[in-house]
Amino acid sequence: MTPVEACKYFRLEGEVTECSKYGNGHINDTYLVVCKKDDGTQVKYILQCVHCTIFKDPAGLMENIKKVTSFLKEKIVAVGGDPMRETMNLILTKDGEVFEKDPSGDIWRVYVFIDNATCFDKVEKPEDFYQSAYAFGKFQNLLADFDASTLTETIVDFHNTAVRFERFKTVVAEDKMNRAKDVADEIKFCMDRAEDMRSCVDMLKAGKLPLRVTHNDTKLNNVMIDDATGKGLCVIDLDTVMPGLSINDFGDSIRFGANTAVEDETDLSKVSLSLELFETYAKGFLEGCGGKLTDAELSMLPMGAKMMTLECGMRFLTDYLEGDVYFKTHRPGHNLDRCRCQFALVADMEKKMDDMHAVISKIAK
Ligand code: ADP
Ligand code: GN1
Ligand code: MG
């Protein structure tokens, strides 16, 4: 089904006048839909096609989003916030459902478009990074009393780095695209860190880190900053909200936003961890979490940053070896470029581990 056809299934106000590709996400096909009402005013929506090769249980996924956004809405209203801008709002299909399944098995959904707010692909101002951190921290804080047992695990073992490492080794052994020979250094980079791959998972299993309801995909472009106030407005991209580790939510934001280069930078001399941005984010995240992190979580925040970067680099490498079937790519070798950039950042983080710990100790005391 085409995106314009998909629109017909939803309760949109007015006539569709525009339906165009939108945003820079690596997973969903996202479209901006503009409708014109009889009185001439415009209404905007976000239409998304969610690929069921990635999300195997779309009904469970959409049920999660429905539950989480309803829960957040109540909390937002209770403190006098604006529930139409501070959380995602699903538009129902004409049959009253939260998604439409097309004959090919793909599912379509529509959200209210959050206008006059921006998703940044790179930190332009440290203040925006602070605001994104506060918003992600607050998101976790607001969901602290959400019943995690009611959530479907939308991608099983999503941040189980140990399981991902096992799968990576299988993909290397299979080498179905005959690409492993070109990436011996990158494969070794992972193998050399076999011990690390277990670290966070083992702490969770040992009960040293608590399982919380987390976002699990806390890139800067998954939060909207209000154009007028400059405040973190709304956390978006809720496909992976499920039980997880707070240190991973912290870590993934650092991976993406505290890198002095973009995620797919090919000039690796530009890649490094900005300790200034690390501190900025840590302050915002801890404030947003409202003091709810345990001492063990605090002391593992730097490790969370390293592990999310290592895991993400390994995922890009896995996808490169498998023939670029998971992440959207925009040029040949794109996943490999992304992988190399992540590994360069891991290497820099390893040098700066003590500095990161010093920053957390300073802020948390
Ligand atoms: P992906 O999983 O592919 O990253 P996202 O849900 O993050 O998909 O959406 C991709 C982009 O679309 C976002 O980075 C953001 O720019 C934009 N976007 C998504 N939802 C909204 C919304 N409700 N209002 C405005 N922009 C949105
Ligand atoms: C994907 O969907 P998006 O673009 O916000 C991915 C994340 C990765 C990220 C790397 C469901 O995030 O896990 O960290 O790309 N999302 C999924 O940029 O796999
Ligand atoms: Mg996204």
Side-chain angles (χ1 to χ4, degrees):
M1 169 147 77
T2 66
V4 173
E5 279 163 2
C7 287
K8 297 198 185 99
Y9 288 88
F10 291 86
R11 295 178 187 171
L12 306 184
E13 286 188 83
E15 288 300 310
V16 175
T17 56
E18 186 189 327
C19 182
S20 48
K21 278 238 161 217
Y22 195 77
N24 291 321
H26 293 346
I27 303 294
N28 297 311
D29 287 332
T30 302
Y31 304 87
L32 166 66
V33 176
V34 183
C35 291
K36 197 169 172 191
K37 294 208 291 188
D38 288 346
D39 64 6
T41 53
Q42 279 190 341
V43 196
K44 292 184 193 168
Y45 301 95
I46 282 285
L47 167 73
Q48 288 185 317
C49 179
V50 181
H51 295 277
C52 299
T53 41
I54 292 181
F55 295 104
K56 312 267 188 241
D57 175 12
L61 177 149
M62 292 307 295
E63 198 52 36
N64 278 6
I65 294 182
K66 204 166 107 182
K67 283 182 194 144
V68 167
T69 52
S70 309
F71 183 89
L72 291 174
K73 211 169 284 182
E74 271 184 31
K75 294 217 165 181
I76 292 164
V77 170
V79 295
D82 180 351
M84 294 308 286
R85 281 174 68 72
E86 293 175 33
T87 185
M88 299 291 271
N89 283 272
L90 283 164
I91 298 289
L92 299 183
T93 65
K94 289 177 178 164
D95 294 337
E97 304 294 337
V98 284
F99 67 89
E100 181 67 32
K101 188 169 184 171
D102 79 15
S104 70
D106 284 337
I107 70 150
W108 296 85
R109 67 178 172 214
V110 174
Y111 288 114
V112 170
F113 183 90
I114 301 171
D115 225 342
N116 304 313
T118 305
C119 280
F120 291 98
D121 287 304
K122 191 168 186 336
V123 174
E124 290 171 13
K125 293 201 304 286
E127 174 62 17
D128 290 336
F129 199 39
Y130 170 85
Q131 290 297 336
S132 76
Y134 187 83
F136 280 126
K138 188 171 148 202
F139 182 83
Q140 203 176 100
N141 193 1
L142 288 175
L143 291 174
D145 54 345
F146 185 92
D147 181 1
S149 69
T150 66
L151 289 177
T152 300
E153 205 178 350
T154 57
I155 299 180
V156 176
D157 288 324
F158 189 58
H159 282 316
N160 186 329
T161 317
V163 167
R164 287 197 180 271
F165 183 50
E166 290 310 310
R167 168 138 171 70
F168 166 72
K169 287 189 282 188
T170 306
V171 168
V172 171
E174 285 172 0
D175 191 21
K176 62 182 179 204
M177 305 300 289
N178 193 26
R179 288 178 171 179
K181 60 181 182 346
D182 305 324
V183 291
D185 289 350
E186 288 75 17
I187 293 172
K188 183 171 183 305
F189 191 91
C190 292
M191 299 302 183
D192 286 348
R193 287 160 182 77
E195 283 295 302
D196 285 342
M197 303 284 183
R198 297 217 54 83
S199 57
C200 300
V201 181
D202 284 348
M203 282 190 77
L204 174 66
K205 277 195 190 140
K208 292 179 183 157
L209 288 173
L211 202 57
R212 300 181 185 276
V213 176
T214 50
H215 182 276
N216 295 304
D217 190 2
T218 51
K219 284 204 287 203
L220 184 61
N221 64 15
N222 285 333
V223 59
M224 306 209 66
I225 308 290
D226 192 310
D227 292 342
T229 64
K231 302 274 183 224
L233 178 67
C234 181
V235 169
I236 65 168
D237 202 344
L238 307 178
D239 295 334
T240 51
V241 174
M242 50 189 168
L245 296 178
S246 60
I247 63 167
N248 289 345
D249 271 8
F250 175 83
D252 203 36
S253 295
I254 297 300
R255 170 190 78 76
F256 190 85
N259 185 353
T260 51
V262 288
E263 188 184 58
D264 56 358
E265 178 59 60
T266 52
D267 178 354
L268 298 182
S269 70
K270 291 186 181 158
V271 178
S272 68
L273 172 77
S274 160
L275 281 167
E276 290 74 28
L277 288 177
F278 178 86
E279 178 162 350
T280 300
Y281 192 91
K283 276 189 190 142
F285 190 76
L286 295 187
E287 282 170 28
C289 285
K292 293 218 172 119
L293 298 191
T294 65
D295 287 347
E297 288 177 298
L298 288 172
S299 71
M300 284 292 282
L301 289 174
M303 191 60 178
K306 175 179 153 178
M307 288 314 298
M308 280 297 97
T309 313
L310 180 60
E311 182 193 279
C312 194
M314 180 170 68
R315 290 174 63 196
F316 288 139
L317 183 56
T318 305
D319 199 28
Y320 176 74
L321 290 168
E322 287 201 291
D324 308 306
V325 291
Y326 184 93
F327 296 104
K328 285 186 194 302
T329 53
H330 306 292
R331 57 180 188 247
H334 203 169
N335 271 319
L336 182 56
D337 293 341
R338 291 169 175 155
C339 157
R340 288 181 170 145
C341 178
Q342 303 314 294
F343 288 172
L345 184 59
V346 170
D348 195 50
M349 285 176 170
E350 286 173 345
K351 287 187 205 140
K352 292 175 178 164
M353 223 44 185
D354 290 346
D355 302 304
M356 285 196 266
H357 280 291
V359 168
I360 299 295
S361 303
K362 185 174 85 180
I363 299 174
K365 73 167 184 266

